[in-house]
Amino acid sequence: LQGCTSYNITWDQEGIANYVSLYYSLDEGLNWQFIADKYIADNSNSYTWSVPSFTTSGLRIKATAQSDASVKDSSDAVATV
């Protein structure tokens, strides 16, 4: 993954209705930064993210249901930017 580029984030919609909130972490999930809220009632379970300019070997991405914060998932592995 490269900073200052676009990256397509995708997720499964199981348990999520209407809106999902997307976050990224530079420290393997210890702290999360907000990316966007995405309307998904139309089953569009993807978001094109404009990756900021940063360098890390601990990038993770997380999707959370806005209606129930306990419904969430994050990337299975860390990525390097």
Side-chain angles (χ1 to χ4, degrees):
L1 190 61
Q2 205 169 12
C4 299
T5 61
S6 294
Y7 179 76
N8 195 38
I9 300 170
T10 61
W11 60 89
D12 290 330
Q13 213 166 310
E14 186 176 328
I16 299 175
N18 296 329
Y19 286 91
V20 64
S21 295
L22 302 171
Y23 300 87
Y24 72 93
S25 171
L26 300 177
D27 54 13
E28 300 184 24
L30 295 175
N31 298 288
W32 295 96
Q33 302 295 318
F34 179 74
I35 297 173
D37 292 326
K38 172 71 173 151
Y39 178 68
I40 58 169
D42 60 357
N43 295 322
S44 60
N45 49 338
S46 68
Y47 177 80
T48 302
W49 179 36
S50 296
V51 182
S53 176
F54 55 72
T55 302
T56 184
S57 60
L59 177 69
R60 294 187 80 123
I61 296 173
K62 174 173 76 171
T64 303
Q66 277 191 347
S67 61
D68 183 355
S70 69
V71 178
K72 62 186 174 195
D73 195 16
S74 64
S75 48
D76 294 329
V78 296
T80 298
V81 180

